[in-house]
């Protein structure tokens, strides 16, 4: 499955969102669109680690990283996930 | 329901809430998680205790030393002290209930502590036990950092757990807490269940391996991690799963 589709599936699963993963636009602002708060950001951070097998360093963590599907995809690509 | 204090091993008083049922066959000791997780889980613990009462089982929900209404300062205690508190709670429950089966129900770090205080129990139910204290600390730091970025708070304490000061003893114990891998835990002689709670219906390999090591049945409960939520959500899938496990 394409990376961005896997990310969308992870977001929907982790946050228990009642939406079709494919309906999430790549550049949609996740905080605005889904009301993502600090708890949800933390949940997404754990989801990224579990789902893609990457370890998030302290320096990696930022609100911007979880701003959109595109932002998460860029981070994962940088970590060598394809 | 009876709210009361009872003694810990050091003499400091522990706060507990007892729900006694006449003729009960089983007595549950609830081993809570810590800090924000404890606050978010409190209502769920109450609901589970009420369910247990309805099916004729006693329960004791207590607070460890340095937490809730129990005596002491959080920073003065560590995991060994809180394991001892579980044993004090078991003794108190036995005094109150007489000869009933003792069962431990623990959540997150409370579940990890229950593993080390299980000798007096015939049954264990472990909800999302922390298998690696180091990972737990790392996740807590991540949550703190993200929250600070959202709130604009630049003054992050170096060592704390959601605002609770982490003493050196507790930090060291958490760094070395590791229930993963061969030989990390021994098999439990009684009945035990390990529950994964989250979005996945397949139990994650590390948790499955831990369950196998202690001889537990492992299950997944698909629902949000209620101990992380700010808003209350009725824990129906968990309550239903706990009913299923009543054998």
């Amino acid at each position: 499955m394409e990376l961005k589709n896997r990310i969308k599936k992870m977001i929907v699963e982790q946050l228990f969102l009642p939406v079709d993963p494919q309906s999430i636009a790549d550049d949609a602002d996740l905080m605005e669109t889904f009301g993502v708060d600090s708890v949800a950001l933390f949940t997404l951070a754990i989801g990224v680690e579990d789902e893609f097998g990457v370890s998030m360093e302290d320096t990696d963590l930022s609100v911007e990283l979880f701003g959109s599907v595109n932002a998460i995809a860029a981070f994962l690509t940088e970590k060598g996930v394809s | 329901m009876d709210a009361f204090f009872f003694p810990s091993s050091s003499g400091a008083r522990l706060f507990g809430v007892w729900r006694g049922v006449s003729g009960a066959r089983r007595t549950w000791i609830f081993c809570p998680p810590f800090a924000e997780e404890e606050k978010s889980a409190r209502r769920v613990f109450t609901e589970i205790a009420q369910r247990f009462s309805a099916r004729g089982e006693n329960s004791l929900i207590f607070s460890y030393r340095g937490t809730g209404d129990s005596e002491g300062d959080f920073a003065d205690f560590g995991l060994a002290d809180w394991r001892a508190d579980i044993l004090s709670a078991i003794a108190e429950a036995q005094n109150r209930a007489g000869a009933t089966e003792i069962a431990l129900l623990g959540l997150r770090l409370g579940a990890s502590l229950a593993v080390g205080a299980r000798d007096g129990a015939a049954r264990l139910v472990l909800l999302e036990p922390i298998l690696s204290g180091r990972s737990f600390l790392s996740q807590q730091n991540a949550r703190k950092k993200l929250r600070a970025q959202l709130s604009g708070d630049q003054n992050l304490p170096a060592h704390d757990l959601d605002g609770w000061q982490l003493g050196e003893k507790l930090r060291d114990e958490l760094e070395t807490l590791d229930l993963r891998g061969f030989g990390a835990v021994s098999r439990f002689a009684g009945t035990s269940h390990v529950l994964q709670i989250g979005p996945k219906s397949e139990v994650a390999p590390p948790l499955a391996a831990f369950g196998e090591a202690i001889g537990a049945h492992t299950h997944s409960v698909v629902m949000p991690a209620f101990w992380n939520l700010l808003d209350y959500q009725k824990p129906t899938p968990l309550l239903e799963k706990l009913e299923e496990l009543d054998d």
Side-chain angles (χ1 to χ4, degrees):
Chain A
M1 193 188 295
E2 193 217 343
L3 180 60
K4 288 182 182 176
N5 287 337
R6 288 173 63 199
I7 293 169
K8 291 175 186 178
K9 185 167 175 280
M10 181 275 293
I11 293 169
V12 167
E13 276 183 359
Q14 290 290 333
L15 302 183
F16 289 82
L17 297 175
V19 301
D20 178 354
Q22 295 308 313
S23 70
I24 302 176
D26 292 354
D27 60 354
D29 184 320
L30 297 177
M31 297 185 75
E32 273 185 19
T33 312
F34 299 111
V36 168
D37 57 13
S38 63
V39 172
L41 279 177
F42 175 61
T43 304
L44 288 180
I46 291 174
V48 164
E49 287 192 332
D50 288 350
E51 214 41 62
F52 299 98
V54 298
S55 180
M56 301 196 75
E57 306 302 327
D58 237 24
T59 47
D60 293 330
L61 279 168
S62 72
V63 172
E64 291 74 28
L65 192 157
F66 302 103
S68 67
V69 171
N70 280 340
I72 299 173
F75 167 75
L76 288 172
T77 303
E78 196 177 297
K79 288 279 184 182
V81 178
S82 53
Chain B
M1 191 184 83
D2 181 17
F4 66 105
F5 287 93
F6 62 99
S8 68
S9 55
S10 68
R13 296 186 311 159
L14 302 174
F15 179 74
V17 174
W18 172 257
R19 286 180 172 82
V21 179
S22 176
R25 64 191 172 108
R26 185 178 294 152
T27 299
W28 290 90
I29 319 302
F30 285 64
C31 308
F34 287 81
E36 286 294 318
E37 293 187 351
E38 190 273 337
K39 284 192 262 180
S40 295
R42 184 172 296 206
R43 180 65 199 171
V44 174
F45 266 23
T46 297
E47 289 203 37
I48 295 171
Q50 288 169 339
R51 286 284 183 111
F52 288 163
S53 287
R55 70 187 200 197
E57 297 171 5
N58 302 317
S59 65
L60 172 60
I61 301 178
F62 77 101
S63 298
Y64 307 100
R65 275 173 286 177
T67 74
D69 283 299
S70 291
E71 293 179 346
D73 290 326
F74 185 80
D76 293 340
F77 301 105
L79 302 184
D81 301 307
W82 294 326
R83 272 188 213 103
D85 289 349
I86 295 174
L87 298 177
S88 298
I90 291 174
E92 177 64 25
Q94 283 171 327
N95 280 341
R96 287 175 170 256
T100 66
E101 177 190 282
I102 293 293
L104 299 180
L105 183 146
L107 171 65
R108 301 280 288 157
L109 194 50
S112 313
L113 293 173
V115 172
R118 61 189 170 168
D119 284 352
R123 178 176 295 259
L124 280 180
V125 173
L126 307 174
L127 312 179
E128 281 281 332
I130 303 287
L131 301 184
S132 162
R134 184 169 291 179
S135 295
F136 174 68
L137 281 175
S138 167
Q139 288 186 351
Q140 296 306 313
N141 283 333
R143 184 160 75 168
K144 186 168 62 178
K145 189 170 177 187
L146 289 170
R147 198 163 47 197
Q149 285 183 26
L150 283 177
S151 66
D153 182 4
Q154 302 298 316
N155 300 315
L156 288 181
H159 300 296
D160 84 326
L161 192 62
D162 296 321
W164 297 81
Q165 190 192 344
L166 275 181
E168 198 174 330
K169 183 161 97 173
L170 177 55
R171 275 207 316 274
D172 289 348
E173 285 177 318
L174 282 171
E175 285 285 347
T176 55
L177 174 70
D178 193 347
L179 303 182
R180 301 165 298 178
F182 181 76
V185 287
S186 57
R187 208 167 176 80
F188 179 57
T191 303
S192 55
H193 298 277
V194 174
L195 275 62
Q196 171 182 283
I197 300 172
K200 299 285 188 186
S201 54
E202 310 84 30
V203 176
L207 197 62
F210 166 76
E212 191 178 344
I214 65 166
H217 305 276
T218 53
H219 315 264
S220 70
V221 180
V222 178
M223 64 177 282
F226 59 87
W227 56 90
N228 282 332
L229 300 179
L230 301 176
D231 297 326
Y232 169 75
Q233 283 187 25
K234 192 155 181 68
T236 305
L238 175 59
L239 296 174
E240 288 174 351
K241 177 58 75 176
L242 291 173
E243 288 299 318
E244 274 178 39
L245 304 184
D246 181 28
D247 45 22

